[in-house]
Amino acid sequence: MSWSRSQSANTDMLFVKQWHTAGQSKNLSIKVASPTAGQVKHDVRNCIEEAFKRMDSDNDGLINVNDYFHRDPWYTEYTKKTFAEMDVNGDGMASITEFKSYHDMIEEALKKEAEKSAFNWANETISKFDKNEDDMIDLAEINAFMKDSLNQTADNLESLIAPFDKHNDKKLDLLELTNFLANLPYDKLKPCNAPAPQAQFL
């Protein structure tokens, strides 16, 4: 999991927008006038002051770096939640084993999500480009897919799909195509509109 730094920086600004639209979501039959520039400026100022008060844990009118770490309620709760998931035995501490296990779990979850996305993509690709309806896509169909969906081509398409073509039939079925899409060899592809290499004369 990764934390979007830009999302955190804009948390209080997003709160202002949500505050202004709250009235519209509560009663759709009531037409709420758009806020004026003055109202927005006033509400932004209030949000900034509320954010400062939230960080000022000892109410001395000053914040230190530890206070500033808590400027974003969402990130604070997110950190608590992820640490609780990491702390398997619930002792309030995380060992190196728990730390590694947690990140292995995240990596596996991301891998499964990527595989799911690739499977759905492969299914859609076969549905669209399988012209002879054999539930596989051959070299010509793969070439059409790459040009249409990726704007990419390859000098030797047969060798490109060879590591994924388990049946050695120069076609890819659903599972083979899923593996291909999950591990696209971009280093062997080139844009369709790439200029042809010019001959060099010595």
Side-chain angles (χ1 to χ4, degrees):
M1 295 183 180
S2 62
W3 168 50
S4 172
R5 184 67 179 79
S6 59
Q7 286 178 347
S8 174
N10 291 324
T11 297
D12 292 319
M13 294 303 179
L14 290 174
F15 174 78
V16 174
K17 181 178 179 181
Q18 293 168 355
W19 185 89
H20 279 300
T21 57
Q24 294 175 343
S25 61
K26 288 180 181 178
N27 190 342
L28 296 178
S29 64
I30 298 177
K31 184 176 182 180
V32 180
S34 298
T36 65
Q39 288 174 324
V40 171
K41 183 177 180 179
H42 172 76
D43 293 328
V44 168
R45 189 183 302 277
N46 284 343
C47 281
I48 292 173
E49 291 177 356
E50 287 299 321
F52 188 89
K53 289 178 182 179
R54 183 175 63 246
M55 290 183 285
D56 184 12
S57 56
D58 56 4
N59 298 313
D60 65 351
L62 299 169
I63 59 173
N64 57 34
V65 66
N66 290 326
D67 293 327
Y68 193 62
F69 274 122
H70 297 88
R71 68 191 181 280
D72 188 336
W74 177 87
Y75 182 61
T76 299
E77 291 304 314
Y78 168 79
T79 302
K80 290 179 180 178
K81 180 178 180 296
T82 54
F83 187 84
E85 292 174 351
M86 189 186 307
D87 180 19
V88 178
N89 60 9
D91 64 353
M93 308 285 284
S95 66
I96 184 63
T97 301
E98 289 173 319
F99 186 78
K100 288 181 177 179
S101 296
Y102 175 76
H103 286 86
D104 287 344
M105 178 186 70
I106 297 301
E107 184 177 353
E108 184 63 24
L110 291 174
K111 180 180 178 181
K112 288 182 178 179
E113 185 62 28
E115 290 173 349
K116 180 181 177 181
S117 297
F119 180 85
N120 292 336
W121 190 13
N123 198 25
E124 293 173 0
T125 298
I126 289 179
S127 297
K128 181 177 179 180
F129 294 94
D130 177 24
K131 301 304 181 183
N132 58 3
E133 299 183 350
D134 62 353
D135 294 325
M136 296 186 288
I137 56 175
D138 56 29
L139 291 175
E141 292 165 343
I142 293 172
N143 189 47
F145 153 71
M146 290 175 56
K147 289 182 177 180
D148 183 82
S149 301
L150 304 177
N151 192 35
Q152 299 283 326
T153 186
D155 291 329
N156 191 330
L157 196 55
E158 184 176 341
S159 65
L160 184 74
I161 70 167
F164 310 94
D165 180 16
K166 301 304 180 184
H167 298 100
N168 296 316
D169 54 4
K170 301 178 184 178
K171 298 180 181 180
L172 296 179
D173 60 23
L174 180 59
L175 294 181
E176 291 171 336
L177 182 58
T178 296
N179 191 21
F180 174 71
L181 295 178
N183 302 277
L184 272 171
Y186 284 103
D187 59 320
K188 298 179 181 179
L189 304 181
K190 63 181 182 180
C192 291
N193 56 358
Q198 297 181 351
Q200 296 183 352
F201 300 95
L202 298 177

